């Protein structure tokens, strides 16, 4: 038994069955070492396309490639024994057609060993989600603030602020659920919207910047740990501040190398 209370590998059925139950704990990881650290504590590990920003120093997720997602997805899966690993489909790899989405999602599944994929979009992606799930690919939806739409939205701005926007998020979440997604990420919206969406759809909502009214929460792990540098989603609570600890350790190493104190002379301890 692990900290999350689940001893067997967590499947999408396990996650789907947690609707309205114990909150789902989800985090991102981009490599095997971090995945190993998260695995005993979380239900779901997302290999998020946020890696474009956090690992590759890009200003948005738009430049992330399928190959990058596969390399990092495989590493995370190797470091995971029980959490459900889901890999983001990057921008441009699924929006063209259900067939394009299937081809790329199947490659991600085959080459990483992950359990399923996440894609952004509501009503406009319902046909694609149905196409994938009918063909053996579990899908985690993503509605509300969709980072791959940054240029259409004019920035990373909260969604659902007026009645029309709130209704649009609800319709999107319903469409994603009806299409067969096992859960849906709800990003960047108000508690009122998150509460209504959570009450009205039969699958778990996983919130990020969407209040505690959701069935679970996800954060970007680097941000939670204080390792995201100047970048901020604007949503995260920092649970640790590891940046200064890293700098301190590196400075100590640099000092010892420069003073010829490291490595110790043979025979010294
Ligand atoms: O890319 C990502 O890390 C994400 C989560 C923040 C939901 O999509």
């Amino acid at each position: 038994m692990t900290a999350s209370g689940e001893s067997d590998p967590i499947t999408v059925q396990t996650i789907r069955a947690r609707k309205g139950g114990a909150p789902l704990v989800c985090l991102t990881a981009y490599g095997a070492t971090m995945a190993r650290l998260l695995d005993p504590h979380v239900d779901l590990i997302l290999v998020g396309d946020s890696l474009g920003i956090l690992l590759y120093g890009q200003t948005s997720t738009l430049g992330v490639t399928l190959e990058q997602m596969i390399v990092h997805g495989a590493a995370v899966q190797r470091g995971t024994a029980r959490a459900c690993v889901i890999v983001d489909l990057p921008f441009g790899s699924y929006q063209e057609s259900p067939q394009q989405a299937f081809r790329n999602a199947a490659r991600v599944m085959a080459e990483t060993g992950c359990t399923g994929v996440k894609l952004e979009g509501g009503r406009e992606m319902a046909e694609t989600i149905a196409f994938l799930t009918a063909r053996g690919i579990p899908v985690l939806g993503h509605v509300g603030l969709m980072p791959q739409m940054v240029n259409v939205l004019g920035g990373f701005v909260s969604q659902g602020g007026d009645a029309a926007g709130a209704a649009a998020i609800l319709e999107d979440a319903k469409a994603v659920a009806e299409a067969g997604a096992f859960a849906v990420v709800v990003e960047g919206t108000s508690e009122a919207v998150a509460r209504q969406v959570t009450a009205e759809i039969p699958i778990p909502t996983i919130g990020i910047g969407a209040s505690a009214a959701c069935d679970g929460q996800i954060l970007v792990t680097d941000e939670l740990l204080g390792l995201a540098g100047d970048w901020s989603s604007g949503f995260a609570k920092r649970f640790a501040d590891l940046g200064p600890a890293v700098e301190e350790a590196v400075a100590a190493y640099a000092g010892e190398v420069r003073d010829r104190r490291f490595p110790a002379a043979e025979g010294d301890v």
Side-chain angles (χ1 to χ4, degrees), residues 11 16 37 53-54 62 64 75 105 109 112 115 131 201 213 231 248 252 257 263:
T11 64
R16 171 75 185 72
L37 293 170
I53 298 169
L54 277 316
L62 300 183
V64 174
M109 303 260 302
T112 67
T115 297
F131 193 88
I201 66 171
W231 182 82
E248 203 179 306
V257 170

Side-chain angles (χ1 to χ4, degrees), residues 138-150:
V139 176
L140 174 61
H142 186 150
V143 301
L145 171 52
M146 295 180 270
Q148 293 179 13
M149 295 289 276
V150 60

Side-chain angles (χ1 to χ4, degrees), residues 37-194:
L37 293 170
L38 304 186
D39 191 39
H41 304 282
V42 304
D43 301 302
L44 183 149
I45 297 179
L46 174 70
V47 187
D49 61 355
S50 52
L51 63 76
I53 298 169
L54 277 316
L55 273 191
Y56 289 93
Q58 294 162 344
T59 53
S60 78
T61 58
L62 300 183
V64 174
T65 66
L66 194 68
E67 284 67 29
Q68 286 173 319
M69 295 313 300
I70 289 171
V71 167
H72 292 283
V76 168
Q77 185 63 64
R78 283 193 290 271
T80 305
R82 52 166 289 288
C84 181
V85 175
I86 300 297
V87 176
D88 258 346
L89 290 182
F91 180 64
S93 71
Y94 63 94
Q95 290 93 341
E96 195 177 309
S97 65
Q99 288 76 10
Q100 182 212 24
F102 179 80
R103 198 165 46 250
N104 288 326
R107 224 190 117 192
V108 168
M109 303 260 302
E111 294 182 34
T112 67
C114 72
T115 297
V117 298
K118 175 164 82 61
L119 57 82
E120 296 181 10
R123 287 158 286 180
E124 75 284 9
M125 292 312 300
E127 186 191 351
T128 295
I129 294 170
F131 193 88
L132 296 186
T133 53
R135 288 162 179 76
I137 299 183
V139 176
L140 174 61
H142 186 150
V143 301
L145 171 52
M146 295 180 270
Q148 293 179 13
M149 295 289 276
V150 60
N151 289 324
V152 173
L153 300 175
F156 297 101
V157 281
S158 282
Q159 299 295 301
D162 57 16
I169 295 177
L170 180 59
E171 289 313 310
D172 283 342
K174 283 183 175 170
V176 164
E178 275 163 26
F182 69 89
V184 61
V185 170
V186 180
E187 178 164 355
T189 194
S190 66
E191 179 171 349
V193 172

Side-chain angles (χ1 to χ4, degrees), residues 1-10 39-41 43 82:
M1 186 78 73
T2 60
S4 77
E6 309 274 358
S7 46
D8 293 329
I10 298 176
D39 191 39
H41 304 282
D43 301 302
R82 52 166 289 288

